[in-house]
Amino acid sequence: MRFKRFGASLLVTGSILLGAATPALAHAELKSSDPARGASLATPPTQIKLTFSGPVTLAENPIQITGPGNASWTVGRAEVAGTVVTAPVQAVGPAGEYTLRYKVTFEDSDVASGSVKFSLSNPAAPSSSQAPSSQAQSSPPPASSQAQPTATPAPQTDETTPEGLLPTWVWIVLAVAVVAAGIVVALRFTRRKD
């Protein structure tokens, strides 16, 4: 009888601990992107669209796109509307895999960065109609976008991890460890009573 009561109280305590950990795990993240992760495109996009699970603000130099042969796309001025970030782009480079890197700040002040990989099946060259308008809109960012990839090593993961916070899996492992420790203590306590 005591074991059942203790087991029930341990179960309630574990549920409370997991419930308390849930808000810490519930951070906004990238929900979708255009181009989509893993997409294979015949023609390069003229605009990038990132949709997040919560409102965001832009960090400095929020979007960069690099590819094979040190190809670096010209990214125009990014704009944010609630949970959606858009930016015009001018693609340049050979066929192959490209990486879109982003950096945003969520409403709880957590800064998050991540990447989306996609590929082009054909080389990308700026069209004559794209070049003047994109260059006029984005003349300051090209210098910073070209300098940024060489100054900062690119993240190798495709996950969104807010800076300064532990990844979600760490919180889950800690919660499981606390519950497991509670069960071990409960079993030892009931064996001593018997």
Side-chain angles (χ1 to χ4, degrees):
M1 187 69 168
R2 284 184 176 170
F3 180 72
K4 286 184 180 181
R5 284 185 194 165
F6 191 73
S9 64
L10 184 60
L11 182 62
V12 169
T13 304
S15 298
I16 291 170
L17 286 173
L18 287 174
T22 302
L25 301 176
H27 288 287
E29 59 186 20
L30 181 67
K31 285 176 58 178
S32 65
S33 63
D34 185 13
R37 182 170 278 133
S40 180
L41 309 173
T43 58
T46 57
Q47 176 178 289
I48 298 300
K49 181 179 177 183
L50 303 172
T51 304
F52 295 89
S53 60
V56 296
T57 56
L58 299 175
E60 185 178 344
N61 198 13
I63 298 174
Q64 301 168 7
I65 302 172
T66 56
N70 293 324
S72 181
W73 291 12
T74 301
V75 179
R77 182 179 174 162
E79 295 182 4
V80 63
T83 62
V84 179
V85 175
T86 57
V89 294
Q90 181 181 350
V92 145
E97 184 177 73
Y98 284 80
T99 303
L100 180 158
R101 290 181 183 81
Y102 62 88
K103 188 172 186 179
V104 295
T105 303
F106 296 113
E107 62 182 358
D108 60 359
S109 300
D110 288 332
V111 176
S113 59
S115 62
V116 174
K117 294 185 187 247
F118 62 94
S119 61
L120 291 180
S121 57
N122 297 311
S127 67
S128 57
S129 62
Q130 273 186 321
S133 63
S134 293
Q135 287 176 351
Q137 284 183 341
S138 60
S139 54
S144 62
S145 66
Q146 288 175 0
Q148 186 68 19
T150 57
T152 306
Q156 297 300 315
T157 63
D158 286 346
E159 296 180 12
T160 302
T161 305
E163 292 179 5
L165 294 177
L166 295 174
T168 303
W169 66 268
V170 173
W171 288 106
I172 293 170
V173 168
L174 287 174
V176 168
V178 168
V179 171
I183 290 171
V184 168
V185 169
L187 290 174
R188 287 187 180 175
F189 181 73
T190 56
R191 285 184 185 162
R192 288 183 185 164
K193 292 286 184 177
D194 293 341

